[in-house]
Amino acid sequence: MKQLKSKINTKSEDFIKNKESYNLLMNEYRDRLNYVLNGVDEKARERHLKRGKLLVRDRIELLLDKNTPFLELSAMAACDQYENQFPSAGIVTGIGVVHGRECVIVANDATVKGGTYIKETIKKHIRAQEVAMENHLPCIYMVDSGGVFLPEQSKVFPDKYDFGRFFFNQSKMSAKGIPQISIVMGSCTAGGAYVPAMSDETIIVKGQGTIFIGGPPLVKAATGEEVSAEELGGAEIHTSISGVADHLAADDRHAIQICRDIFESMPKVQKYPLERENFKEPQYPAEDLYGLAPLDLKKPIDARELIARIVDDSSFQEFKERYAPTIVTGFAKIMGYPVGIIANNGIIFSETSLKAAHFIELCSFRKIPLVFLQNITGFMVGKEYEHKGIARDGAKMVHAVANAQVPKFTVIVGGSFGAGNYAMAGRAYEPRLLFMWPNAKISVMGGEQAAGVLVQVKEQQLKKQGKEFDAEERITLREKILKKYEEEGSAYFSTSRLWDDGIIDPADTRKVLAMGISASLNKEFGEPDFGVFRM
């Protein structure tokens, strides 16, 4: 493959200034992340530890093979919501390795409101199950939860993707032969009792774990019967009388070891034979990305400069290099895995769409995973482009993205606006994983454009009423819209609501993508299956 040669002067004033500004952004990101990882309620942590329990991330670290990474998903879920009382939405999810086998972990954090579920906790739990199903990964549930957060019950209980979806997904996963193991390390109440009851094997910790459809207060209210939690659904009861649980553990560490023993006894998985080669690191340091990442989305950045710092040996076999230059497509390797890369290099025109659709077809037939690097303002607008059929040609690209049967991975490195988000494998197009850089922005359009449109609409409304649009009111409305779009377009707003799978350090992009590709190989790639490409 041809080695990319960087044209960026890393000693230039512009590069150094961008890097300094980005380092400030990274400092904010690291501070926010540390705040979330450390939790907010010190008293709850102390109570948890005094009971002989391990903290949630310590449990996960003990479960995983030594010196293997854990790809945590949506660590900042619910940030800047609920007065920041639900760090990580009270649940930790991600992909890790147990006895050499990749798996999805769903672990309640009982130090956060007793591990209860708000809307974002639900979304995060369900998203983890989706990752398990999409990649055919075993699922480990580390259960320590009081169930639904009752003040928010109307937002978490009755709808299609609310609490009940957990058990629907567990049934579907079981039917597909995806192993599910539960470790009951604390409370497991009401509907939550079905998580261990529907797992292949269940471990419960003596003196800590409880499983019951209705807890002691509900039993007393419903039947008048007085019973302790341990008598009702403790570890001794469920391992010797009811049979709901299969293994009795003395404490958290013992329970985790039993889970590891279960995995050791599982049959080995034959992964999809995507050929992997020995690899060289990129020719340019990953830290250069801090000086390249777009902070001002009006300024163009050559996508090849980003690619050169992400792919092996900075080698890239570009496809249609001279045609439709506002999108860069080509073949490369990431940590030895072959990938097809589609990166925005400007706005999407008709020919841009055709080039991307052609390339996606090639990758689908060659069974090569796709990586989308999003930095897109959207599709070109105007009479000339509508007359040339940009809607028809854009539809070809959308068809190709939606129906590509190879794993797709998306990283939003800059802007992600309007239909450009969809065409470049946004969340609605089910990439296996989607991450954002801290500088990324996502919204239906840019703030400047939205302000221009809404100010114009307001002006027309007033004109119909025979009124003038006061200059001061115009400025006030414009500033209000710009502020709203700035806040709602930020990466933190997105990740708080789980529109993505997390914010990542740009320097970690290639590692994160490699972990995602490796996990995707636990499931066979599908055959090409495209719809009608209207000519």
Side-chain angles (χ1 to χ4, degrees):
M1 289 186 188
K2 181 182 176 182
Q3 202 173 70
L4 292 169
K5 299 297 180 185
S6 178
K7 297 176 183 177
I8 294 292
N9 178 7
T10 57
K11 294 181 180 178
S12 70
E13 186 179 339
D14 283 349
F15 183 89
I16 291 169
K17 187 177 178 181
N18 200 86
K19 192 170 184 179
E20 287 173 350
S21 298
Y22 207 91
N23 279 326
L24 293 175
L25 202 64
M26 287 302 299
N27 289 338
E28 180 192 0
Y29 163 69
R30 292 182 185 113
D31 288 345
R32 280 173 168 260
L33 187 59
N34 286 334
Y35 176 79
V36 163
L37 298 183
N38 292 327
V40 291
D41 193 336
E42 190 59 40
K43 289 182 179 178
R45 283 164 63 93
E46 287 175 11
R47 285 196 303 270
H48 188 84
L49 293 169
K50 280 181 181 178
R51 290 171 182 154
K53 294 182 172 186
L54 297 172
L55 296 173
V56 64
R57 289 181 176 85
D58 293 338
R59 287 169 171 172
I60 292 170
E61 186 177 354
L62 199 61
L63 174 68
L64 300 178
D65 293 351
K66 287 186 178 180
N67 301 317
T68 60
F70 177 59
L71 181 56
E72 185 167 342
L73 304 176
S74 301
M76 294 190 194
C79 73
D80 298 333
Q81 298 188 76
Y82 310 99
E83 298 179 340
N84 281 317
Q85 294 180 42
F86 286 87
S88 292
I91 195 168
V92 179
T93 64
I95 301 171
V97 180
V98 178
H99 273 294
R101 185 167 180 170
E102 283 141 332
C103 58
V104 167
I105 296 165
V106 180
N108 299 117
D109 186 351
T111 69
V112 179
K113 302 291 184 181
T116 52
Y117 282 72
I118 53 173
K119 179 182 176 181
E120 287 71 23
T121 325
I122 300 276
K123 288 185 73 173
K124 192 168 172 179
H125 188 130
I126 290 172
R127 175 61 186 148
Q129 289 180 315
E130 287 174 350
V131 171
M133 286 189 280
E134 288 166 352
N135 298 286
H136 210 276
L137 298 177
C139 202
I140 298 172
Y141 304 99
M142 305 180 94
V143 187
D144 197 347
S145 168
V148 165
F149 183 63
L150 293 179
E152 294 283 313
Q153 68 88 22
S154 66
K155 298 177 183 177
V156 299
F157 170 66
D159 208 354
K160 180 177 180 179
Y161 290 103
D162 283 348
F163 205 91
R165 192 74 181 189
F166 300 165
F167 321 122
F168 177 86
N169 286 344
Q170 282 190 261
S171 299
K172 292 293 186 182
M173 290 162 72
S174 185
K176 292 179 180 179
I178 298 173
Q180 297 174 82
I181 309 298
S182 281
I183 312 175
V184 181
M185 309 173 105
S187 179
C188 191
T189 309
Y194 289 109
V195 172
M198 297 184 73
S199 296
D200 297 13
E201 295 189 53
T202 294
I203 306 151
I204 187 167
V205 178
K206 185 177 181 179
Q208 300 283 7
T210 55
I211 304 170
F212 29 64
I213 301 298
L218 183 59
V219 169
K220 185 174 181 181
T223 69
E225 180 184 8
E226 291 195 15
V227 62
S228 70
E230 195 64 31
E231 291 173 318
L232 185 63
E236 292 282 357
I237 299 298
H238 284 312
T239 53
S240 63
I241 297 175
S242 74
V244 170
D246 309 299
H247 307 276
L248 179 66
D251 53 26
D252 280 6
R253 291 175 184 276
H254 185 206
I256 290 165
Q257 185 56 55
I258 293 171
C259 184
R260 286 186 55 80
D261 290 345
I262 291 170
F263 265 73
E264 189 176 18
S265 69
M266 286 183 185
K268 300 298 180 188
V269 174
Q270 293 296 318
K271 298 183 79 170
Y272 185 80
L274 185 70
E275 188 176 342
R276 188 185 187 194
E277 298 178 359
N278 293 329
F279 62 89
K280 294 180 181 178
E281 293 295 317
Q283 292 290 314
Y284 306 97
E287 288 71 24
D288 281 359
L289 293 170
Y290 302 151
L292 292 167
L295 289 170
D296 181 354
L297 299 180
K298 295 176 186 174
K299 291 184 178 179
I301 172 70
D302 186 350
R304 296 172 189 86
E305 296 289 348
L306 305 180
I307 293 168
R309 288 154 178 87
I310 293 172
V311 303
D312 295 353
D313 201 31
S314 301
S315 295
F316 184 60
Q317 180 63 39
E318 191 161 349
F319 175 74
K320 284 187 182 288
E321 181 178 355
R322 300 177 63 204
Y323 180 74
T326 62
I327 201 162
V328 175
T329 57
F331 301 97
K333 289 185 169 63
I334 294 179
M335 289 197 166
Y337 293 113
V339 294
I341 294 177
I342 301 176
N344 297 119
N345 215 33
I347 204 162
I348 297 177
F349 294 90
S350 281
E351 57 269 28
T352 317
S353 303
L354 297 174
K355 176 178 170 178
H358 185 172
F359 183 70
I360 291 165
E361 285 183 297
L362 284 181
C363 290
S364 294
F365 279 96
R366 294 178 187 179
K367 304 292 181 70
I368 295 174
L370 283 161
V371 172
F372 293 81
L373 300 179
Q374 276 201 26
N375 181 25
I376 182 62
T377 54
F379 283 78
M380 190 64 190
V381 298
K383 185 171 76 172
E384 176 187 350
Y385 305 101
E386 296 294 353
H387 287 192
K388 286 181 178 178
I390 192 169
R392 177 198 60 227
D393 294 331
K396 293 183 179 68
M397 182 176 177
V398 170
H399 262 301
V401 173
N403 290 299
Q405 295 299 307
V406 293
K408 302 185 291 272
F409 301 91
T410 303
V411 183
I412 302 177
V413 301
S416 178
F417 300 114
N421 169 278
Y422 303 151
M424 288 293 292
R427 185 65 126 185
Y429 287 75
E430 298 187 346
R432 297 292 177 93
L433 294 169
L434 184 152
F435 294 100
M436 299 181 79
W437 286 0
N439 59 295
K441 303 283 185 186
I442 182 169
S443 55
V444 71
M445 62 178 69
E448 292 282 349
Q449 291 88 341
V453 169
L454 292 173
V455 166
Q456 190 175 345
V457 168
K458 182 69 174 177
E459 188 173 33
Q460 289 171 350
Q461 287 174 344
L462 291 172
K463 193 174 182 180
K464 286 179 181 177
Q465 297 169 15
K467 299 177 182 178
E468 290 281 332
F469 197 1
D470 182 73
E472 191 173 321
E473 287 181 8
R474 182 192 294 264
I475 293 169
T476 301
L477 177 60
R478 181 178 175 80
E479 288 178 350
K480 182 181 177 182
I481 295 163
L482 285 171
K483 183 182 178 184
K484 176 182 174 66
Y485 270 72
E486 180 65 23
E487 289 174 358
E488 294 182 2
S490 98
Y492 297 107
F493 192 92
S494 166
T495 208
S496 177
R497 290 153 183 81
L498 286 97
W499 299 345
D500 53 63
D501 291 310
I503 301 173
I504 61 170
D505 183 335
D508 290 335
T509 301
R510 88 187 235 99
K511 296 175 188 174
V512 168
L513 288 171
M515 289 177 70
I517 294 165
S518 177
S520 76
L521 302 182
N522 286 274
K523 184 179 180 182
E524 283 199 12
F525 295 1
E527 294 300 321
D529 184 17
F530 294 105
V532 176
F533 282 27
R534 294 182 62 231
M535 302 308 292

